[in-house]
Structure formats: C-alpha cells, structure tokens
Amino acid sequence: MTISADRFAPMANAIRALSMDAVQAANSGHPGMPMGMADVATVLWGEYLKHDPKAPDWADRDRFVLSAGHGSMLIYSLLHLSGYAAPTMADIRNFRQLGSPCAGHPENFLLDGVECTTGPLGQGLAMGVGMAMAERHLNGVFGGDLVDHRTWVIAGDGCLMEGINHEAIGLAGNLGLGKLVVLWDDNNITIDGATDLSTCEDIPARYRATGWHVVGCDGHDPASIRAALDEAVGDDRPSLVACKTVIGKGAPTKQGTAATHGAPLGPEEIEGARERLGWSHEPFDMPEEILSDWRATADRGAQAHSAWRDRLASDDDRRGKFESHMANVGDLAGPALEGLIAGLAAEPKKVATRKASEMALEHLTGAIPQMVGGSADLTGSNNTKTGHTSPMTADDPAGRYVYYGIREFGMAAAMNGMSLHGGVVPYGGTFLIFSDYCRNAIRLSALQQTGVVYVMTHDSIGLGEDGPTHQPVEQVMSLRLIPNLNTYRPCDVIETAECWALALQTPETPSVLALSRQGLPQMRGEGDENWSAASNRCAQGGYRLRTASAARQVVLVATGSEVHLAAEVAEALEAQGIGADVVSMPCTELFDAQDAAYRADLLPADVLKVSVEAGCTLGWERYVGMDGLTIGLDRFGASAPAGDLFAKFGFTVDAIVPQITSKLNA
Ligand SMILES: Cc1ncc(C[n+]2csc(CCOP(=O)(O)OP(=O)(O)O)c2C)c(N)n1
Ligand SMILES: [Mg+2]
C-alpha cells in the first residue's frame, strides 16, 4: 500500500512537529535528525515495516533499530503515531523527564518497539547485524514459514564513522545478511559542522568493497525512497540506502546546519517551521485525521501477524518446538552439567579453566540448541567450539558457531543484537585483555539486560610469555564495576561448570567468565568437606572452601588461579598453629547479594582477612577491611614463563606467609 501524495506530507510533518515541540518543552534534545529523516521514516514505517503495534513481541516482526539514538524523538513519534500502547502523548510531553519512558536516548527496557538501547554511535547498527544474524539462523532452523523478517537500521554519519562500523559491516557482508537494510541519514552534518571537516571517505565504495549492495535516494522524495527500498529488498546482499537529507528539514533559518543537531530550535524558529510546513496545530495536538492515517498503516502488519499465527498453529509439533526454542533456557543448564560434575567429583582433573569451560560447553551446547558460540579469531585459545556447533556461514546460517574474525567490539555488539532478537543464546570468546576493546558493548549488554556470555580467557600473568600487553591486571576488577554484570573467576573445573550454569540462569544479567590459560588443580569433589553434587556453591558468589583446624585467626579470600595458592598458604599457617579459613570468591556480585549474616559468617570482623588475586588490589578493601591484607598486582606484568612471574610478583607460599604472620604479630 502506498500512502497517497496528499496524506504523505501531514503524516511526515506530524513527526517533525512532535520532535521540535518535545525538544522545546524539554529544553534539550535533538530535533535535527527526526526532522531530516521524517520522510524516509514515513515511507519505511507506513509502507514497508512488518510490525503489529498490538503485539510488539511477535517473533516474526521486522526489527527496527534507530542507531542514531540521539534522534530518539523519531522513534517515539513513530511508536505513538502507529498505535503502540506507549508512549502516550503525555509521555511525549514529558520527553527526557524523570519517569517518562521517552528517555533522552531510546532504552529497550522502557518501551516495547524499542528493540535495543542506542545512543553510543555505531553500536545500534552493529546490534542490527546481530539481529539479522539471529533471523537468518532461525530461518535456517525453522524455515521461512515461521521466520522471515527484515532488520531495518537508521544510522547517521556518526554511526558510519565509528570504528565499529568497519567490524560490523565486515561481518554482515561475509555472512551475506540480505535481510539487513541500513538507511543512512546522509545529511553531511555532525555536531562540529560539515562532515568534510573530518572525513573525505567514499562510504558507498567502502560498503561495496565489503560485499554490500548500495543504492541512493532523495530522502525527501517518497517515490525516490520507495524505489531505493524496493531495490534493497530485492537484493540478496545486505543493503546500504544512502538517503540524501537536509538536517532539521523545515526549520526556516537553521535547516541544513549543525545548529539543529542537538538543541531546541527556539520559539521563533519553531513558529517559522510551522508556517513553512503548513502545520497549524498547537504543540502536542494531533489531528484525528492524521492519527487515523497513521493507525491505518498498522493493518498491513496485523494481517501478516494473523497469517503467521495460522501457519504456526497448523502444525502442533512444529509449534511446540518453535515456542520452546524461543523460551528461556535457564532450566536446562543445571541438568546438562550434572553428569560432568558427578564424574569430576569422583575423578578429579587438573585442567586450565578455559579447558574446563570447553568441557562444560560440550554438554551445554549438546543440550541447549539455542546456544550460538564464537570467537574473535581465538577459537583454539578460547576453547569455544564444540562438537555440536558447526560454522554459521552465508550458505548455512543454521550453523551455531560464528567466526567473528578479529572484531571484538563487533562481536560483542552482534551478540547483544542476537540476544535481544531472541531464540539465540550467544556466547563469544576473546582474551580477557581485549575486554577493553569491547567494553562499551559489554556495558550495553548489562544496561539492556541481556543474557550474553563472554568467554574471556588468559586472565592474568598466568598466561606467561606473551607479556604485559596480554596480561590482564586491572580488567577483572574493572569489569566488576559495571552494574548488572556478573564477573566470574572460577578456580577449577567444577567451579567453571557451576559458573557456566549460573551464567545461563540469569537471562537478564550478562556474564563474563575470566578463565585461565594454565592448568589449575581441582579444589572441589568428593573429598571436599562440604561436597554435594546437588548444590551449586558458586551461586552464593563466595563460599567457605576450607575451614580452619586450629583456632581461626585468618580468612584468606581468593579467586581463580589463586585459590589453590590460598589453600597452600592456609596449610602452611596451620602448620604454625594459626587457624585459617579459605573462601573461594568466584563472583563478588553474587556474594554482595547475600544477606548480611551469610557475609559476616564468611568474613568475620574479628579475624585478619587477606585477599589473594593476581590483579589490581583496589576494591578488595570492601572484603578484607582497611586493616586487612591485599595481595595482588598493582603494576604491569612481564614476559616470562608463568611460574617465574608468580614467583617474581610474590604469589608464593613463602612470600605470603610472612606477610600474614607479621601482620598478626603487629
Ligand atoms: C560513541 C559516541 N561518540 C560520541 C557521541 C556524541 N554524539 C552524539 S550525536 C553526535 C554526532 C553524530 O552525527 P550524525 O550521526 O551525523 O548525526 P546528525 O548530526 O546528522 O543528527 C555525536 C558526536 C555519541 N553519542 N556516541
Ligand atoms: Mg549527520
């Protein structure tokens, strides 16, 4: 259905009016982008986007991503006009105010129809790539009858200029994601002024060189926009649609300039724009006729949804499989690992925790078909590939293993997109040191409440010879700073399996598994004083691994590869008649969530508490107190075999015991 020429302008101008008025009312925000892209958005939402405002969670809906998240009034206007329950006009009046779902930038957890949180430029497009990967994958698994939808992204100059854009489009081009269409707001303006201040790039050439189809259009001419979208839809490569637009279109003196980018237009300019656009209505007064034109555009999607429901209902067996595939996988994780853990408890193994992760993954990926793994070109080091996961390729999108290439940031953002899409539980690996390369996407995993699992190996100086560029020092502690992210540093093969189970049981909290390169002795099992195969001890975040024999004077708290060292230190102290507990603390976030009595029992006030972790000590005061001892590494490492480094930096029984005894005697 094509919107008639006389109805088109009022529908597009409704977006312009809402955007300039809301920004003016809030006295902050970005009117330029929504005003510039109003015509493109009206064609897209009014004629192409497959969605049902009455059923925003419909699995086979098209995904729409406003990667240029600063233009948030564009998506708020579209959601309201096309008939979503929210935002209401009252919400839009309250744009950017406390309690309004119309936040400064679109937040996926505040509004249905906002598929992902955007604002950090470049990441929306990269998440769109992940959504398109999930769609192709599920299409491969279930067929086009149930899964066949597009991912549409609106991106600005900024999204295309960010480094992550190179990673994201490279991935999309190689995977041949033909259902992905990026609409580029090609307005030649960023905050500082004209784009030629900072770039002379031939963007279409770069996209073409990366395996994309590129088409241009006049972003203010509906016929030109339609022709470009038709071409994009018809091409089996991912498409870039370069939409030539005027930023702030309609503002009489400011359109086409950076002045419209991120500030209210001001009353005079808005009055001029009303005249120019022929918009005579008061702010936030939406004529019934325009609203009903917009609402009518939703019929298309409602019909498609109803036809899809009929197809789903036509085969009970397939429906059951599809619905269970789209559901939460948390309940499957524990049972999938039972056999592995029971076997290890009876017959301990000394392995690196990265290897332990592979052992857990072998069972998990066998039991949980939604898991899609990958690595940023470190498959053999991260141990992320299992016998159940064949490569995901352009020809076989049903594959469950992604060769992300050397694209850590692109991988993390794509995993966010897949997780938000649903039906896929993504995990991906790199070296822990390169968590910093993708840190902002990890942060967005947490903010957006996704269940992404990061498999981050080579977690300390224990990696040895690669030296200080590769040896994490501050990464583990700095990841603990991110809210709603669980950072796990398991100490052995059993803790690793337990942490994997927990990671999959928290679908609204992403996880980082910090894993060792070097072998670590098994600390848990049937010989263990509190052994029970039935309880996941890591679930408390920290637990007493060893209880003092002599009168307790010391509690050692350690993580990962330092737990066995702490146990050896405790033995040495006991030999001197000094009672010492050992607390293993694989996840401080989960420990912090325990009640005060549990925490006080583990870390009592009246004994010396000592932390041991081969990383930054800043932060351990929270657990050992200001009068405790923090044993760690507050400097860069060095290039040498791991054993030599642990010795040099004081991670030995001989170096630690005297520090404890002298503290006790002080
Ligand atoms: C990663 C990142 N860096 C910087 C910013 C701040 N910022 C927001 S919009 C913008 C300019 C974007 O230009 P463009 O995408 O062309 O948007 P337009 O001005 O055309 O609306 C910048 C630098 C951001 N949001 N994210
Ligand atoms: Mg721009």
Side-chain angles (χ1 to χ4, degrees), residues 312-384:
L312 184 67
S314 68
D315 180 339
D316 277 349
D317 183 45
R318 194 174 62 152
R319 183 172 57 85
K321 280 196 186 118
F322 182 77
E323 285 174 353
S324 81
H325 201 93
M326 299 306 286
N328 189 350
V329 304
D331 291 348
L332 304 175
L337 294 170
E338 262 169 28
L340 173 71
I341 291 176
L344 289 165
E347 225 181 292
K349 283 206 165 66
K350 177 180 176 177
V351 295
T353 50
R354 63 178 170 137
K355 177 72 187 167
S357 168
E358 181 185 339
M359 291 159 69
L361 275 172
E362 200 61 54
H363 292 264
L364 291 168
T365 55
I368 306 176
Q370 294 92 331
M371 289 181 77
V372 171
S375 167
D377 203 45
L378 289 168
T379 295
S381 299
N382 301 145
N383 299 41
T384 35

Side-chain angles (χ1 to χ4, degrees), residues 5 230 235 281 290 350 437 494 501 582:
D230 287 342
D235 200 283
H281 319 288
I290 296 178
K350 177 180 176 177
Y437 270 50
I494 289 197
V582 176

Side-chain angles (χ1 to χ4, degrees), residues 36-96:
M37 283 297 274
D39 299 315
V40 172
T42 301
V43 173
L44 175 63
W45 277 57
E47 302 179 11
Y48 288 79
L49 186 73
K50 180 176 79 169
H51 69 139
D52 182 357
K54 302 286 176 261
D57 290 338
W58 170 29
D60 198 34
R61 69 191 181 279
D62 283 358
R63 303 303 194 269
F64 172 77
V65 175
L66 185 69
S67 189
H70 56 278
S72 56
M73 268 313 303
L74 180 69
I75 191 165
Y76 301 149
S77 304
L78 290 164
L79 291 170
H80 177 75
L81 291 167
S82 62
Y84 283 73
T88 62
M89 195 58 93
D91 295 333
I92 290 177
R93 278 176 186 270
N94 272 327
F95 176 53
R96 291 188 157 230

Side-chain angles (χ1 to χ4, degrees), residues 33 70 119-121 156-158 162 187 189-191 247 261:
M33 186 272 168
H70 56 278
L121 297 176
D157 301 298
E162 288 287 351
N187 63 16
I189 292 288
T190 67
I191 292 178
I247 190 170
H261 164 90

Side-chain angles (χ1 to χ4, degrees), residues 543-560:
Y543 62 93
R544 188 175 291 121
L545 177 66
R546 175 196 194 281
T547 307
S549 308
R552 182 174 65 191
Q553 297 182 54
V554 178
V555 173
L556 292 142
V557 190
T559 75

Side-chain angles (χ1 to χ4, degrees), residues 16-26 270 274 279 282-284:
R16 294 192 169 94
L18 283 178
S19 299
M20 67 184 182
D21 289 336
V23 170
Q24 191 65 38
I270 288 182
R274 282 192 141 67
W279 188 267
E282 291 299 306
F284 310 111

Side-chain angles (χ1 to χ4, degrees), residues 40 184 201 221 230 238 363 373 397 403 549 575-576 624 639:
V40 172
W184 167 30
E201 186 179 36
D221 172 2
D230 287 342
H363 292 264
Y403 289 106
S549 308
Q576 297 183 32
V624 302
S639 172

